[in-house]
Amino acid sequence: PSLEQQISGNFKNVAISNCLIFNTGTGGIVLDGGDRKSLSPGNNMVYNTEFYRIDRINNTYSPAVKLNGVGNIVRNCYFHDLKHQAIGFMGNDHIIEYSRFDKVCTDADDSGAIYTGRDPSSRGTAIQYNYFSNIEPKDKNASMSGIYFDDGSGGMAVKNNFFYKVGNPGHYVNFSAVFFHGGHGGGE
């Protein structure tokens, strides 16, 4: 197969663990895999990994973990000192758990430490047992949240998380620790 076919393959059972990822220019890890048509999980995982200052060149939309596909896991990670998102995700049935988010989205507006949006077929992700602290922008007019479901997102579970000094209403006036913007469908 061509290099392009190899790169866009359906990766499964890949683990990235016990790493320190910092001072990169445009993000940290792209974790993808699983089949969205059949909802077969990729079972790819990043765990026990610390991320900071991963956005030196592209200050926005360069998350520490870009999570796509089906059934992939981010567990027991530490995200801190990030100008924009820690995790940006799309897809189905992911698990984001037992992680710490501190001083994330410091230079952003209309965003969240964990963000998804614009794909109503992305459903089933669980965000659980995480600790969020100091998710506040430097600019007090900026709107910020810990977890942000944007434009048509729904059918996800947020449970058993801890939020301390998270969210800023800013110019949109209604942002909070968990913010839903135009979502649909059920969830927990």
Side-chain angles (χ1 to χ4, degrees):
S2 71
L3 180 59
E4 183 176 310
Q5 289 170 323
Q6 292 174 34
I7 291 172
S8 65
N10 186 3
F11 296 100
K12 291 185 177 186
N13 304 310
V14 174
I16 300 168
S17 66
N18 302 307
C19 295
L20 175 59
I21 299 175
F22 67 104
N23 287 341
T24 62
T26 60
I29 293 173
V30 176
L31 193 64
D32 197 349
D35 181 60
R36 290 198 66 197
K37 288 182 183 177
S38 67
L39 294 179
S40 313
N43 296 316
N44 298 308
M45 181 186 303
V46 58
Y47 64 98
N48 296 342
T49 295
E50 181 178 353
F51 300 87
Y52 65 96
R53 291 193 312 258
I54 49 77
D55 43 19
R56 291 180 309 106
I57 297 170
N58 289 342
N59 292 204
T60 58
Y61 300 102
S62 298
V65 177
K66 186 179 284 187
L67 186 59
N68 296 312
V70 178
N72 299 304
I73 301 167
V74 177
R75 178 180 290 143
N76 198 36
C77 292
Y78 180 29
F79 303 89
H80 64 95
D81 299 294
L82 304 173
K83 295 176 185 175
H84 201 226
Q85 302 164 358
I87 298 174
F89 75 92
M90 294 186 100
N92 304 85
D93 305 328
H94 301 302
I95 298 172
I96 301 168
E97 64 183 3
Y98 299 109
S99 294
R100 182 174 175 191
F101 301 84
D102 186 51
K103 296 179 190 153
V104 176
C105 294
T106 58
D107 296 6
D109 181 32
D110 190 23
S111 192
I114 298 176
Y115 175 89
T116 190
R118 299 182 180 91
D119 183 357
S121 68
S122 287
R123 303 179 62 77
T125 292
I127 301 170
Q128 58 195 16
Y129 309 109
N130 298 293
Y131 181 87
F132 296 83
S133 61
N134 305 303
I135 311 298
E136 302 173 305
K138 291 176 187 173
D139 178 357
K140 294 305 174 191
N141 289 319
S143 298
M144 190 60 49
S145 61
I147 301 170
Y148 187 170
F149 298 100
D150 199 6
D151 297 339
S153 299
M156 315 221 193
V158 176
K159 56 187 176 182
N160 301 311
N161 295 285
F162 183 87
F163 299 91
Y164 172 74
K165 294 177 82 174
V166 175
N168 190 60
H171 59 92
Y172 287 124
V173 182
N174 58 358
F175 270 61
S176 56
V178 179
F179 183 66
F180 290 89
H181 179 246
H184 79 281
E188 292 181 35

